[in-house]
Amino acid sequence: MNRKDVAELAGSVGVGAWTAFGVLSMVVIGREGVPLFTDEDLLSWSVAHRPDMAVAVARGVTATGTGVVPYALVVLAGLLTGRTACRRLLAATLATACLAAGQALRYGVMTLIARPRPVRGDWAGHASGWSFPSGHTTTAAVTAGLVILAIRVRAPHGRTALCLAVGCWGALVGLTRVYLGVHWFTDVVGGWLFAVGWLGVCLCAAARWLPSRLLADAPEAPEGAVPPREEHAPRGSAS
């Protein structure tokens, strides 16, 4: 798939995801933040099914969706993507910038919508700020998308299994936010849609505007290397 096709596909996916996110946001705003669809049913189920071991696991998983872990993963993904030191550094920088900018934009949207969280009495984990879209969910989904992209580019074997594992982690972080009672399920759906939209925009921009020499897959020749000479047929030989 060439750069133009990548840009068009990523842009289309991004626009579609953000359109869905916009519709969901309008519903949340129009209903003044009250629970939607299956929000209350899923929260009630979660509160009623919380053995100590499951809560401990959920807290451990949810902790990986914020702080140092996502940034460490995207930096590692960037370093694994490039074939040269320059391209590795560029990929790690761009991946980090994508995650940081996505978090900042998500925070701004969350502040504008200002949806209340579920009642504090149902919480089994830490939370702060408004509810929609879920920050842990968005961060984990963007991180998972960047890592999966790196795996698709570089992993020689077992790509499908690795991608599934990373994707499941990204999804589980979001689901633990509902299980721990600190988010409505539609907050998590909003986080997933926002993340897909943001990843689509970033990938589209990179495919369209990054110089080709920075995206070239072939390794650079070492300095001082002499290009191979072309072989010429001896004079007088038959062509």
Side-chain angles (χ1 to χ4, degrees), residues 165-229:
V166 174
C168 286
W169 166 76
L172 282 173
V173 169
L175 294 176
T176 59
R177 305 306 286 167
V178 178
Y179 185 73
L180 294 174
V182 295
H183 275 290
W184 304 111
F185 180 65
T186 45
D187 298 334
V188 173
V189 174
W192 287 333
L193 292 173
F194 185 94
V196 172
W198 181 243
L199 285 169
V201 168
C202 291
L203 183 56
C204 178
R208 282 187 181 278
W209 293 310
L210 277 181
S212 298
R213 61 185 177 84
L214 296 177
L215 297 176
D217 195 40
E220 296 176 348
E223 294 184 5
V226 178
R229 296 180 179 179

Side-chain angles (χ1 to χ4, degrees), residues 13-23 25 105 193-199 201:
V13 171
V15 169
W18 264 359
T19 299
F21 175 77
V23 171
S25 299
L105 184 59
L193 292 173
F194 185 94
V196 172
W198 181 243
L199 285 169
V201 168

Side-chain angles (χ1 to χ4, degrees), residues 32-236:
E32 298 182 347
V34 300
L36 305 173
F37 314 127
T38 60
D39 281 345
E40 290 183 311
D41 292 338
L42 289 174
L43 179 62
S44 297
W45 184 92
S46 299
V47 172
H49 297 81
R50 284 180 179 167
D52 293 341
M53 180 62 70
V55 171
V57 171
R59 287 173 176 167
V61 173
T62 207
T64 64
T66 189
V68 175
V69 174
Y71 281 94
L73 289 174
V74 298
V75 168
L76 178 61
L79 293 176
L80 292 175
T81 300
R83 289 190 181 276
T84 67
C86 178
R87 290 173 189 150
R88 291 189 189 107
L89 179 60
L90 175 65
T93 301
L94 291 176
T96 303
C98 174
L99 178 58
Q103 287 181 314
L105 184 59
R106 195 277 323 172
Y107 185 85
V109 172
M110 176 196 71
T111 304
L112 286 174
I113 295 176
R115 185 188 197 186
R117 292 179 182 271
V119 294
R120 190 176 290 270
D122 290 333
W123 293 12
H126 173 73
S128 61
W130 298 105
S131 192
F132 181 90
S134 166
H136 282 68
T137 301
T138 304
T139 298
V142 170
T143 301
L146 292 170
V147 173
I148 288 172
L149 181 61
I151 292 172
R152 298 294 299 177
V153 170
R154 285 288 167 252
H157 303 292
R159 294 192 305 181
T160 301
L162 284 171
C163 289
L164 284 174
V166 174
C168 286
W169 166 76
L172 282 173
V173 169
L175 294 176
T176 59
R177 305 306 286 167
V178 178
Y179 185 73
L180 294 174
V182 295
H183 275 290
W184 304 111
F185 180 65
T186 45
D187 298 334
V188 173
V189 174
W192 287 333
L193 292 173
F194 185 94
V196 172
W198 181 243
L199 285 169
V201 168
C202 291
L203 183 56
C204 178
R208 282 187 181 278
W209 293 310
L210 277 181
S212 298
R213 61 185 177 84
L214 296 177
L215 297 176
D217 195 40
E220 296 176 348
E223 294 184 5
V226 178
R229 296 180 179 179
E230 295 183 0
E231 295 183 359
H232 299 280
R235 292 184 179 179

